[in-house]
Amino acid sequence: EAGVAQSPRYKIIEKRQSVAFWCNPISGHATLYWYQQILGQGPKLLIQFQNNGVVDDSQLPKDRFSAERLKGVDSTLKIQPAKLEDSAVYLCASSPFGQGAYEQYFGPGTRLTVT
Amino acid sequence: AQSVSQHNHHVILSEAASLELGCNYSYGGTVNLFWYVQYPGQHLQLLLKYFSGDPLVKGIKGFEAEFIKSKFSFNLRKPSVQWSDTAEYFCAVNAAQNFVFGPGTRLSVLP
């Protein structure tokens, strides 16, 4: 079974620039999560999708962050404009619908450095 | 809002020593509990989980955890660690579809 795919793996941008991350979840997984993990901290949930609908985006800084999950499969997370404090690893995870729905499978993450 | 705390930031052990990593959460309702591990250079993966039933759960690689509801705790244990257990360990709580991770504990096992 293929895992969660993310790209790019690394990205360096200057502050005020924009950036986008892509995630392809495990086939058939209905739920998709985006997390931000700042160095030395645990992952913080930014947004959760159930199919192509948003379940929870309460911690997403909506003035600069946006995310979409078209057709209930792939997802993109965008930051515009980026700030220095956005430097972090952005993790995508997915989970199946039904039994074991809450077990998440993580991708390798995208390491973002904002200079 | 719920929160998750982990007792130790960094734990250093020698091989064959016993391990216990503490995890406490703040939420009074029904919870699902998880321990995830991140080995150096690898992505987060599930060690074990508790949904209901026996509060002592066993996971991969000889790890186990005990859910003590009265103490709001879900501590991770292993009787004898190996060098290959060197990693970052995260406790996580799912309550009312709200997923919260702890800050993590870095485990270094000396050969």
Side-chain angles (χ1 to χ4, degrees):
Chain A
E1 175 181 76
V4 176
Q6 290 187 248
S7 68
R9 293 295 309 277
Y10 305 91
K11 189 74 176 178
I12 301 174
I13 62 172
E14 295 181 351
K15 59 184 179 183
R16 292 186 291 272
Q17 287 186 323
S18 62
V19 65
F21 313 127
W22 173 81
C23 172
N24 182 240
I26 293 173
S27 177
H29 280 195
T31 308
L32 186 147
Y33 311 80
W34 282 103
Y35 289 88
Q36 179 192 59
Q37 186 176 17
I38 293 172
L39 187 64
Q41 300 181 19
K44 182 183 85 170
L45 181 66
L46 292 176
I47 189 167
Q48 176 184 344
F49 292 95
Q50 182 76 24
N51 296 309
N52 60 352
V54 175
V55 174
D56 180 9
D57 64 356
S58 57
Q59 297 195 89
L60 187 74
K62 298 181 186 65
D63 57 334
R64 298 186 299 107
F65 286 64
S66 64
E68 60 182 8
R69 190 183 184 196
L70 300 176
K71 301 180 182 178
V73 182
D74 293 7
S75 177
T76 55
L77 176 70
K78 297 179 181 177
I79 308 175
Q80 182 179 10
K83 293 185 176 181
L84 295 176
E85 59 260 37
D86 298 332
S87 292
V89 176
Y90 290 85
L91 298 167
C92 179
S94 68
S95 64
F97 186 75
Q99 183 68 26
Y102 300 114
E103 178 178 342
Q104 298 182 33
Y105 299 80
F106 283 83
T110 296
R111 184 177 297 277
L112 173 68
T113 302
V114 182
T115 64
Chain B
Q2 61 180 313
S3 64
V4 180
S5 62
Q6 293 184 237
H7 301 175
N8 306 97
H9 180 65
H10 189 191
V11 172
I12 302 173
L13 295 173
S14 297
E15 275 194 314
S18 64
L19 169 71
E20 181 159 1
L21 301 183
C23 171
N24 285 90
Y25 63 92
S26 63
Y27 186 75
T30 301
V31 294
N32 299 310
L33 301 160
F34 306 82
W35 276 97
Y36 281 85
V37 61
Q38 188 166 27
Y39 297 104
Q42 298 187 26
H43 53 81
L44 277 163
Q45 54 188 283
L46 185 70
L47 260 185
L48 47 79
K49 60 188 177 186
Y50 172 80
F51 285 175
S52 63
D54 189 344
L56 184 62
V57 293
K58 296 190 183 300
I60 60 172
K61 304 187 180 184
F63 285 91
E64 64 178 30
E66 184 175 13
F67 170 48
I68 303 179
K69 188 174 182 179
S70 60
K71 294 185 178 180
F72 299 90
S73 70
F74 189 55
N75 292 354
L76 180 71
R77 298 194 291 251
K78 186 171 183 178
S80 175
V81 294
Q82 300 173 312
W83 177 79
S84 59
D85 293 325
T86 294
E88 185 109 23
Y89 292 80
F90 295 93
C91 180
V93 176
N94 186 319
Q97 295 206 45
N98 187 11
F99 221 98
V100 179
F101 278 81
T105 296
R106 184 155 62 103
L107 173 65
S108 298
V109 180
L110 306 177

